[in-house]
Amino acid sequence: MSRAGLAPPPGRCFWLEEALAHDPGEPCPPLRGRVEADVAIVGGGFAGMWTALELRAREPGLGVAVLEAGIVGGGASGRNGGFVSSSWHDLPAICGLFGRDEGLRYAMALAQEVTGIGRWCAEHGLDAWFHHEGVLGVRTGPWQEGFVGDEAIELLRALGLADRVRPLSGEECRRYADSPRFLGGAFVPDGATVQPARLARGLRRVALAQGVRIFEGTRVRGLERDGGRALLRTDGGTLRAERVVLAHGSWAAAWRPFRRSFAVIADHMVVTEPIPDRLAEIGWTSHVGIADGRDLLYYLRRTDDGRIAIGGGSASVLFDGRIGRRATADARVAEVSARGLLRLFPQLEGMRFTHAWGGPIDHTASFLPFFRTLPPGNVHAGLGFSGHGLVQTRVGGRILASLVLGAKDEWSSMPVVGRGIGAVPPEPLRYPLVRAAVWALASGDRREERGRPRGLIRRLVGGAPIAYRDRLARRGAVAR
Ligand SMILES: Cc1cc2nc3c(=O)[nH]c(=O)nc-3n(C[C@H](O)[C@H](O)[C@H](O)COP(=O)(O)OP(=O)(O)OC[C@H]3O[C@@H](n4cnc5c(N)ncnc54)[C@H](O)[C@@H]3O)c2cc1C
């Protein structure tokens, strides 16, 4: 790295700061004493909040309580890139794992929710900076396949869904934003951007209005059986519930049933000062989000107050899923994101970054979430959103509501319901293996950008997680 200090000291999340200044919301004090509910939801991220709302919509009389260790949206849900994206780019792998029909059914449900989230915001008068204008995947080097690979484009064509991804020339890509690095790519209309913390806080507001009880500052320390019910212990009291939903994201890594379910990494973002004139200069006047074709990709989008937010390019790895300061403030990784913006748009030299932050990601071996029911049958988990949770948690809320209500329907039969596919290695093996993979991917990207070959070692070590997923897909195909 040639110069230090492009990104500010990390820790302040722009999205949460902006959303709380816009609407702090009514207080939701911690749980005290003994409380009863029909359904207890652990975790006030998107997964927990969509589930709470879906349950109340289907059974308005149900007593639903959300227990949140910090504030609603304080986890990954209020800290992410805000890409509300379909999974068409990942369709070959999804169909490999679940079979063509079921894979397509799941991918179709995700794509529909891009519109669904926008509709929900409009219905509830929520200004969450939601813009359904699509996502542009670009190649920024001749060695890159791009965010949407040829295999996905061919499969979509074969399925009669060619219009879901439009291949573009370099010149066509540069019409969206004039980067000298854009060589070509693809436009995905089923994509939107949102201010994620405004969405999370909006879900909180609507849930409260619909009678959901929310206890913030309430960490669940233990879950016990109490006859046919469940007892959740917190520092201030207990909550007894008939049914429980575990939606506490990356933090579930510390809970025994999920110790091999996913690895926890942290992604980091930076945001510029407002630069509306410079955005106009580079011709980025729409709200189309952009992702490049590196192995550890950069994702960047505009904000409604004229900034650019960019994340990715590297990641921090957390030992044994322990989520400490490294998950939200890693100066080295934030600096990589900041440098990424200047690499893509050298014309922006001289602009300032105001915020840098990170958040934890629960990454499964299949790169897909899982929805599992634990014995004796009244505890349901929805975890492992693997860095693509904006749309998947919305579908996940419908799935979890069906599992809680015992409904046999299109949601409870989704192929992501079950034990989860594959397992991550146990600690202390996992940490060095995941670190090695992140190193291989990041340093391989850097080498190629300097015109050097990625090299066999980096290719093998960095490609190991994908190779494992391909093996799972082949095994899945045999098992079906
Ligand atoms: C930097 C970054 C960028 C990302 N970009 C995108 C993107 O552009 N598009 C996309 O689709 N996805 C993106 N993601 C992923 C996305 O944010 C997540 O998949 C999604 O928010 C997961 O939601 P969740 O509800 O499962 O988890 P979380 O939002 O993490 O919620 C879990 C909640 O549980 C609470 N909790 C934990 N333990 C306990 C306990 N014991 N008791 C009570 N509460 C507890 C936590 O405080 C937290 O609020 C990104 C993630 C990061 C970090």
Side-chain angles (χ1 to χ4, degrees):
M1 217 149 270
S2 52
R3 286 174 311 155
L6 193 58
R12 279 170 65 210
C13 171
F14 170 72
W15 304 129
L16 283 161
E17 200 174 281
E18 196 284 332
L20 291 169
H22 171 69
D23 179 9
E26 61 185 272
C28 287
L31 184 143
R32 296 267 174 259
R34 290 184 193 177
V35 178
E36 306 261 333
D38 296 319
V39 183
I41 298 177
V42 183
F46 288 139
M49 298 311 294
W50 285 123
T51 306
L53 284 163
E54 186 71 15
L55 282 168
R56 290 286 297 188
R58 291 203 214 167
E59 280 204 17
L62 207 65
V64 179
V66 174
L67 309 183
E68 164 53 49
I71 60 166
V72 167
S77 296
R79 306 177 154 270
N80 56 67
F83 279 64
V84 182
S85 38
S86 51
S87 288
W88 296 126
H89 63 282
D90 207 23
L91 191 62
I94 295 175
C95 287
L97 289 163
F98 299 134
R100 197 173 268 207
D101 290 351
E102 284 299 280
L104 184 57
R105 183 163 77 93
Y106 183 57
M108 198 61 96
L110 298 177
Q112 277 163 4
E113 290 301 354
V114 176
T115 323
I117 292 174
R119 203 183 311 121
W120 187 89
C121 291
E123 273 166 21
H124 294 93
L126 177 64
D127 178 8
W129 300 3
F130 182 89
H131 300 283
H132 189 166
E133 296 182 23
V135 169
L136 178 69
V138 287
R139 278 185 292 109
T140 57
W143 58 87
Q144 292 180 359
E145 197 186 17
F147 175 64
V148 188
D150 292 344
E151 206 189 334
I153 294 174
E154 275 160 33
L155 180 56
L156 284 163
R157 267 196 206 127
L159 292 166
L161 295 167
D163 58 334
R164 301 295 173 135
V165 173
R166 282 184 227 135
L168 299 179
S169 66
E171 197 193 325
E172 286 168 320
C173 290
R174 289 191 293 275
R175 280 189 210 138
Y176 287 97
D178 190 13
S179 163
R181 307 271 179 208
F182 292 179
L183 303 180
F187 179 73
V188 185
D190 291 328
T193 55
V194 73
Q195 205 289 37
R198 279 196 182 212
L199 177 59
R201 302 299 292 177
L203 285 163
R204 177 189 189 271
R205 169 174 63 77
V206 175
L208 287 171
Q210 296 189 356
V212 174
R213 281 181 296 167
I214 300 176
F215 300 97
E216 291 186 327
T218 302
R219 182 175 297 281
V220 174
R221 302 268 177 203
L223 171 60
E224 297 159 20
R225 275 190 219 176
D226 181 20
R229 311 185 86 198
L231 189 73
L232 295 103
R233 293 197 182 280
T234 74
D235 292 337
T238 57
L239 180 81
R240 200 184 306 269
E242 274 170 26
R243 287 156 282 180
V244 176
V245 171
L246 299 179
H248 51 318
S250 300
W251 286 265
W255 289 38
R256 193 171 304 133
F258 310 113
R259 293 199 78 89
R260 301 282 308 275
S261 299
F262 50 82
V264 183
I265 56 173
D267 227 3
H268 294 261
M269 300 199 70
V270 289
V271 71
T272 66
E273 62 192 331
I275 46 167
D277 296 345
R278 306 195 73 179
L279 278 163
E281 271 169 37
I282 60 171
W284 194 357
T285 50
S286 71
H287 281 280
V288 168
I290 300 174
D292 75 1
R294 301 167 102 239
D295 277 358
L296 285 181
L297 57 80
Y298 287 119
Y299 45 90
L300 52 156
R301 40 78 53 95
R302 288 185 41 188
T303 66
D304 275 27
D305 62 349
R307 303 163 188 259
I308 298 176
I310 178 167
S314 188
S316 348
V317 183
L318 308 179
F319 179 77
D320 201 20
R322 289 179 205 162
I323 300 163
R325 199 165 151 68
R326 190 118 183 260
T328 52
D330 185 330
R332 188 186 49 87
V333 182
E335 187 73 17
V336 174
S337 298
R339 300 257 159 225
L341 184 56
L342 276 185
R343 181 178 155 73
L344 293 171
F345 293 101
Q347 312 95 302
L348 296 177
E349 180 73 48
M351 90 212 128
R352 263 180 2 99
F353 291 93
T354 58
H355 299 67
W357 69 93
I361 291 180
D362 41 353
H363 213 300
T364 63
S366 66
F367 295 38
L368 289 168
F370 61 90
F371 299 86
R372 187 196 300 172
T373 297
L374 303 179
N378 62 344
V379 178
H380 311 277
L383 301 165
F385 292 95
S386 304
H388 293 282
L390 259 88
V391 167
Q392 305 214 45
T393 50
R394 164 85 165 155
V395 172
R398 298 193 194 282
I399 292 174
L400 286 164
S402 288
L403 294 178
V404 166
L405 299 174
K408 303 276 174 254
D409 59 12
E410 58 179 308
W411 304 111
S412 60
S413 64
M414 274 291 173
V416 279
V417 176
R419 275 203 64 76
I421 303 169
V424 297
E427 293 293 11
L429 259 185
R430 187 193 313 153
Y431 179 73
L433 289 177
V434 178
R435 269 200 76 150
V438 169
W439 165 81
L441 295 169
S443 66
D445 283 334
R446 275 199 306 275
R447 278 174 76 92
E448 286 181 331
E449 282 167 3
R450 290 177 193 143
R452 294 164 66 190
R454 183 170 284 262
L456 185 64
I457 303 263
R458 284 180 182 79
R459 215 170 273 287
L460 286 177
V461 176
I466 297 271
Y468 179 54
R469 177 161 87 147
D470 288 347
R471 233 184 83 208
L472 293 172
R474 280 198 299 277
R475 250 199 292 167
V478 173
R480 271 189 306 273

